[in-house]
Amino acid sequence: MTRSGAAPAPEIAKAGPVLSVTGLEVSVNTEAGLHPLVTDLSFTLMRGETLAIAGESGSGKSITALAIMGLLPPPAVRLTAGTIRLGTRDLTRLGEAGMRAIRGDRIAMIFQEPMTSLNPVLTIGTQLIEAIRAHQPMSRARARARAVEALGAVRLSEPARRLGQYPHELSGGMRQRVMIAMALALRPEVLIADEPTTALDVTVQREVLDLLRDLQRDLGTAIILITHDMGVVAEMADRVIVMQSGRMVEEGPTPAIFAQPRAAYTRALLAAVPRMGAGAARAAVDLTRNRVLGRPDPARLHGDDAGPVARLEDVRVRFDLKGGVFGRVTHGVHAVAGVSLAIRRGETFALVGESGCGKSTIARAMVGLVPHQGLIEIAGQRLATNDAAALKALRRRVQIVFQDPMAALDPRMRVGEQIAEPMVIHGIGDGDARRARAADLMARVGLSADQAERYPHEFSGGQRQRICIARALALQPDLIIADESVSALDVSVQARVLDLLAVLKRDFGVAYLFISHDMAVVENIADRVAVMYLGQIVEAGSREQVFGDPRHPYTQRLIAAVPVPDPGHRRPPAPRLAGEVPSPVHPRGRGPARRVLHDIGHGHLVAEGD
Amino acid sequence: MSGTVLAPMSAAPRGASARLMRRPLALIGIALIALVVAGAVLAPWLAPYPPEAQHFDGLTIEGAPLPPGGAYPLGTDLLGRDLLSRILYGARTSLVIGVVANGMALTIGTLVGLVAGYFRGWIGAVLMRFTDLMMAFPALLLAITLAAIFTPSLWIVAMVIALVNWVQTARVIYTETTALAAREFIAAERALGAGTGRILWHHILPHLVPTIIVWGTLGISTTVLLEATLSYLGVGVQPPTPSWGNIIFENQTYFQSAPWLVFLPGAAILLLALAFNLVGDALRDVLDPTQRGQD
């Protein structure tokens, strides 16, 4: 960022409060009366500072943001007490027309999902120019110049050309930059960023956070950063407010909160955050504990059946794109372009990579949900999608747990029935035996048997994922594929589900293929790791090899991009990648260049080139 | 409602019928339906006169129908027949049409939409292009053709109406099924090894119940009126057998001078449709597990 002149002098930037909230209370009107969502929240935001509001889902952090913006969803949710002062004005008394003048102009907001906050049928330019002209009357040409300048400020390449593009033509990270450009084009005093990087890949998240920090330094904007990610908090915030079920449990400067958390909840929250580098220590503890408990040796458990539980050899998955007048196949999306790996019995094999790298496609191919080329072998049996009986038999050996448990459970079926269903499908036991086993499985994943009569919507996110795990275990598979299974969960819940997976692995001798974008989680639980990029593996090996000695530049970049939950370790801005993300789409008859993996010692495989 | 007959038992949350009974609007609906059914079944005993009997004193000197009151509680029609008796007997026809014909249409429509929506491919293409063809074809013309081929009787008329009326249901069910089939819990079921039949019956059909109920209740009045249209054109239920629809059509030219002849059977159709609507709405809520505890 090389904009000069626009930056106000630092002493002005740090002077006095810009926004103060006192005794804020927001309630939702239910049939049982008013139910508070946020109670007695007070804080002040200083000019030029970054205040993080951290908390898990349901803590009221997003509701607070909406209350400040005057965007609480009417008529059920409304502000029932307190004041919100911007300078000397009380925003709670302003009314809708007054708020409209404030919004965008003096307080701007960016949301989690940039695709939904941009209008898909209008060009970026139209939306940006309109947002500017709505608040500052100026000619279209001047607004356009301002828009180009704003897009340049968020480091979008070719800003003038971007104005003519539609939101779907941009990647997620680029869309979020457009949102930031829109928010900052009018130089607001306050920017509210509600989970601005949660939907983005780590390397992109890194760039967006760097960008926000630079812009704040140059423009002196005060930022309220709403996030569940303590790593992002440590990286960005000057002060932190920790919220739990609508109340502030702790407030203080970031270093103090991380060094000496006073509230028990803050301590629990920080303890649950997966940290890079903690994996090795944890494994050591695990080993001693297992020796005491007499962990069954996986090889012994399965007798002479010592081969890998799953073996993939040159697996390819291609989706055809049709085009032209006759709807012929013109291009192919090479989602998986030649992946070979073997998962041993009883181990946790992690597949990491960013969105679109093909990791979930591999998961779906391995349970026969998408057709593949090449060889997939589960427990020595070749998986063939055209043989229904063999496929059904194989499904007793491999099961999958999806990312979003609410989507993966039938909302109209009782959970007890859903857990018992695999046994019904495969004709195992009679009604009573199935019910008993379902109750047993529910107990194993930490649910009580009387909850079997309930429906999925009556459970929390973490409980729903436990139900999915219980369902996957019902057939006693050799391998469970966990496709981003903990990504949608709050950190504390995530930690408990990961513990559960570890216990089940020990008790049932099951192997996991753990698919994730979260390097810190993977580093904590995996025995072996493969890093995927654009449908191919670029590096594979044991956890110690990949995380302790990352050799491929992509692996190094991924690891470096993970936010560290320690304010003492603020990293310098990451070197940015030039140009666009390469695409897995190739014309028909052509495909991506195959990467060649070399063993650099003890099974540590690294691809050549970038 | 045929929608509930179609729905597998696993769709019904426990205690659904008890909770249905706690809803006052549903009770009103059930009472109205019971009233119509009782009227139809007990017509020979309830009706003051045979429905076809033409009464000499049922017309004024000028030959105009009598207004309600006196010996003919609801008045008489053009031919001096007692309107109350005709409405009571007509309930038999209209119930058969509204319930049986409508139920058949729903069943066909649901089956076609479900199969086409789940399998897509060439099966889906063939079924849906056929549905489009049926939609484009004038329904009345088709009904007349069909009714001309078969000798009109109540059951043939019901079948003809079903063959004309399934089309809209099929389209709607098709769209919903394609969306449902793409949901992740269906992928999860397939990964568990569930067969097609199981997925369709246990995991897709229960989600279609609300739509089926809505189309079923809408279909009541449409089918009853279609029967009336067919009767009017001479290919429906043959006179002098009364149906609510044909009472309206026979007498519509006298709407100015004898409005009760149109108004009263019209009110009967409205009442029946309303009753099924009330029950259908309540059923939809009661069968939805996410609505529990909100009665």
Side-chain angles (χ1 to χ4, degrees):
Chain A
M1 183 84 181
T2 51
R3 291 178 38 166
S4 52
E11 55 274 1
I12 301 170
K14 291 280 182 193
V18 55
L19 183 83
S20 61
V21 172
T22 36
L24 183 73
E25 184 179 286
V26 180
S27 304
V28 61
N29 209 351
T30 65
E31 279 168 33
L34 278 180
H35 175 74
L37 296 173
V38 173
T39 29
D40 194 26
L41 178 68
S42 305
F43 63 85
T44 45
L45 180 69
M46 298 303 193
R47 213 165 283 279
E49 110 175 307
T50 299
L51 173 70
I53 302 183
E56 298 186 299
S57 44
S59 63
K61 55 193 197 304
S62 288
I63 289 286
T64 305
L66 292 176
I68 296 170
M69 289 297 281
L71 288 174
L72 290 173
V77 181
R78 59 174 198 267
L79 202 127
T80 38
T83 58
I84 301 169
R85 284 184 185 285
L86 178 71
T88 52
R89 263 195 286 183
D90 185 355
L91 300 185
T92 57
R93 294 163 185 279
L94 221 48
E96 177 56 26
M99 274 315 289
R100 219 173 297 143
I102 298 280
R103 265 182 236 138
D105 190 25
R106 303 192 54 196
I107 307 181
M109 184 157 176
I110 53 180
F111 296 89
Q112 173 171 352
E113 187 41 78
M115 192 64 205
T116 51
S117 6
L118 286 167
N119 185 339
V121 298
L122 295 179
T123 61
I124 303 292
T126 311
Q127 299 185 53
L128 206 46
I129 290 167
E130 239 153 58
I132 293 170
R133 277 163 49 104
H135 290 285
Q136 293 180 7
M138 62 171 79
S139 73
R140 191 158 278 278
R142 274 200 55 205
R144 193 186 156 81
R146 188 86 174 261
V148 172
E149 186 194 2
L151 288 181
V154 294
R155 300 179 196 138
L156 272 179
S157 56
E158 304 176 76
R161 190 170 71 87
R162 303 287 175 209
L163 288 183
Q165 285 184 316
Y166 288 89
H168 73 266
E169 296 177 63
L170 306 181
S171 70
M174 286 156 79
R175 285 197 286 263
Q176 196 61 292
R177 281 156 199 255
V178 171
M179 288 309 296
I180 295 173
M182 204 178 275
L184 294 179
L186 295 164
R187 309 261 162 86
E189 289 145 88
V190 179
L191 174 68
I192 302 176
D194 187 359
E195 302 274 8
T197 57
T198 307
L200 305 176
D201 283 324
V202 268
T203 52
V204 182
Q205 161 174 320
R206 183 82 201 269
E207 291 170 30
V208 170
L209 292 180
D210 286 345
L211 174 69
L212 273 178
R213 209 160 39 202
D214 290 354
L215 289 176
Q216 177 183 38
R217 195 186 53 220
D218 296 349
L219 302 176
T221 311
I223 296 181
I224 298 180
L225 179 72
I226 290 168
T227 183
H228 70 283
D229 188 333
M230 294 311 274
V232 173
V233 171
E235 198 114 309
M236 296 288 292
D238 301 314
R239 273 192 311 137
V240 191
I241 289 175
V242 180
M243 285 185 75
Q244 183 194 18
S245 25
R247 290 168 189 282
M248 183 202 292
V249 292
E250 188 160 1
E251 185 196 6
T254 308
I257 293 267
F258 277 84
Q260 290 141 344
R262 291 187 310 273
Y265 177 73
T266 314
R267 281 198 293 274
L269 195 63
L270 285 171
V273 176
R275 282 159 209 267
M276 296 286 284
R282 196 161 157 156
V285 174
D286 261 2
L287 272 179
T288 50
R289 194 203 302 165
N290 289 339
R291 208 169 297 132
V292 176
L293 289 172
R295 174 185 189 172
D297 176 27
R300 199 154 33 104
L301 203 65
H302 294 274
D304 49 274
D305 195 8
V309 64
R311 196 161 68 84
L312 276 66
E313 212 161 275
D314 195 27
V315 171
R316 283 151 289 146
V317 179
R318 198 186 69 220
F319 301 106
D320 291 335
L321 294 181
K322 289 176 181 167
V325 185
F326 301 104
R328 277 182 306 189
V329 177
T330 56
H331 288 73
V333 182
H334 294 256
V336 179
V339 164
S340 304
L341 54 89
I343 302 168
R344 300 177 195 139
R345 287 193 180 273
E347 79 168 346
T348 300
F349 189 97
L351 203 52
V352 291
E354 298 187 295
S355 49
C357 74
K359 55 195 194 303
S360 287
T361 308
I362 288 190
R364 284 171 180 261
M366 284 176 72
V367 291
L369 288 176
V370 295
H372 65 272
Q373 293 163 291
L375 172 83
I376 296 180
E377 239 180 45
I378 309 285
Q381 296 287 311
R382 186 184 181 134
L383 183 135
T385 38
N386 53 12
D387 182 349
L391 192 59
K392 188 172 172 181
L394 262 191
R395 278 172 173 156
R396 292 186 62 166
R397 318 299 291 271
V398 55
Q399 272 304 313
I400 186 165
V401 176
F402 292 98
Q403 169 168 4
D404 181 356
M406 191 62 204
L409 291 169
D410 185 339
R412 282 186 175 244
M413 196 184 241
R414 274 180 274 273
V415 302
E417 277 178 66
Q418 300 204 46
I419 293 172
E421 197 178 18
M423 295 178 269
V424 179
I425 291 168
H426 292 272
I428 301 167
D430 56 8
D432 288 333
R434 286 175 201 145
R435 256 190 301 281
R437 175 140 176 82
D440 177 48
L441 284 167
M442 287 187 76
R444 294 302 284 270
V445 299
L447 297 168
S448 67
D450 58 299
Q451 289 171 314
E453 294 294 306
R454 299 204 190 156
Y455 289 89
H457 72 271
E458 297 173 70
F459 293 88
S460 69
Q463 287 176 320
R464 282 197 282 259
Q465 198 57 289
R466 286 161 191 267
I467 295 165
C468 288
I469 293 170
R471 179 171 67 176
L473 281 170
L475 295 172
Q476 292 182 293
D478 300 318
L479 174 66
I480 290 182
I481 300 173
D483 185 4
E484 297 277 11
S485 300
V486 296
S487 309
L489 306 175
D490 280 328
V491 271
S492 60
V493 180
Q494 179 179 4
R496 286 198 294 272
V497 171
L498 288 173
D499 285 344
L500 171 70
L501 286 176
V503 169
L504 295 174
K505 172 176 157 183
R506 199 178 59 219
D507 294 356
F508 288 84
V510 61
Y512 295 120
L513 173 59
F514 191 88
I515 293 174
S516 181
H517 69 282
D518 191 329
M519 300 297 280
V521 168
V522 166
E523 208 255 0
N524 274 279
I525 68 155
D527 299 315
R528 288 195 304 141
V529 183
V531 181
M532 264 188 95
Y533 180 65
L534 275 183
Q536 301 189 48
I537 290 178
V538 296
E539 184 158 0
S542 70
R543 173 187 51 207
E544 292 79 10
Q545 287 168 341
V546 173
F547 284 91
D549 182 22
R551 292 296 181 91
H552 195 272
Y554 181 70
T555 315
Q556 292 168 351
R557 217 160 57 223
L558 268 186
I559 292 174
V562 179
V564 184
D566 178 358
H569 280 101
R570 281 203 192 179
R571 301 155 310 170
R576 270 173 298 119
L577 294 177
E580 316 255 316
V581 182
S583 148
V585 180
H586 296 274
R588 187 169 185 215
R590 266 187 285 165
R594 291 302 180 85
R595 294 173 184 277
V596 184
L597 291 169
H598 291 292
D599 192 338
I600 59 161
H602 307 287
H604 188 176
L605 304 174
V606 182
E608 284 177 347
D610 282 338
Chain B
M1 233 12 302
S2 47
T4 54
V5 178
L6 269 173
M9 285 320 288
S10 63
R14 214 147 285 169
S17 54
R19 285 187 298 122
L20 188 65
M21 289 305 161
R22 281 207 303 272
R23 288 164 173 263
L25 283 180
L27 286 179
I28 294 175
I30 291 171
L32 283 174
I33 294 171
L35 194 74
V36 175
V37 171
V41 171
L42 302 176
W45 294 276
L46 292 175
Y49 309 97
E52 293 91 13
Q54 299 183 16
H55 304 283
F56 183 69
D57 59 350
L59 295 169
T60 58
I61 306 294
E62 293 81 29
L66 293 178
Y72 307 100
L74 298 183
T76 58
D77 71 357
L78 299 182
L79 301 174
R81 294 177 294 197
D82 176 45
L83 187 61
L84 175 62
S85 308
R86 288 187 70 76
I87 287 182
L88 282 172
Y89 276 95
R92 298 178 153 194
T93 319
S94 295
L95 267 181
V96 168
I97 298 294
V99 175
V100 177
N102 188 28
M104 272 165 36
L106 277 181
T107 313
I108 300 172
T110 304
L111 270 178
V112 170
L114 195 61
V115 169
Y118 186 74
F119 292 103
R120 313 283 287 273
W122 67 268
I123 303 180
V126 167
L127 284 175
M128 288 330 283
R129 291 304 78 76
F130 179 64
T131 310
D132 290 344
L133 196 75
M134 295 289 287
M135 221 169 200
F137 206 81
L140 209 53
L141 195 60
L142 184 73
I144 293 169
T145 316
L146 284 171
I149 296 170
F150 307 99
T151 336
S153 78
L154 179 56
W155 298 102
I156 292 294
V157 171
M159 192 196 75
V160 168
I161 289 174
L163 287 181
V164 170
N165 247 29
W166 61 271
V167 188
Q168 289 84 350
T169 316
R171 266 247 79 104
V172 174
I173 295 289
Y174 168 78
T175 317
E176 280 207 21
T177 306
T178 49
L180 277 169
R183 299 255 302 258
E184 198 162 68
F185 67 87
I186 299 298
E189 286 300 324
R190 285 171 53 208
L192 287 172
T196 307
R198 180 169 192 88
I199 290 176
L200 288 179
W201 185 252
H202 286 277
H203 297 286
I204 291 192
L205 202 49
H207 293 264
L208 297 173
V209 166
T211 313
I212 296 173
I213 288 177
V214 168
W215 279 93
T217 46
L218 285 177
I220 303 265
S221 40
T222 337
T223 47
V224 168
L225 288 174
L226 182 57
E227 184 276 325
T229 316
L230 292 179
S231 300
Y232 182 67
L233 293 168
V235 289
V237 179
Q238 294 301 294
T241 312
S243 80
W244 292 349
N246 70 20
I247 298 173
I248 295 176
F249 276 93
E250 279 167 10
N251 299 306
Q252 63 170 0
T253 43
Y254 285 80
F255 181 63
Q256 297 280 333
S257 55
W260 65 90
L261 286 175
V262 173
F263 178 75
L264 290 173
I269 295 174
L270 186 80
L271 220 59
L272 186 66
L274 178 74
F276 274 103
N277 241 313
L278 291 176
V279 178
D281 267 7
L283 261 181
R284 195 188 50 205
D285 292 351
V286 164
L287 291 177
D288 184 352
T290 58
Q291 297 276 315
R292 269 168 110 187
Q294 292 178 19
D295 324 349

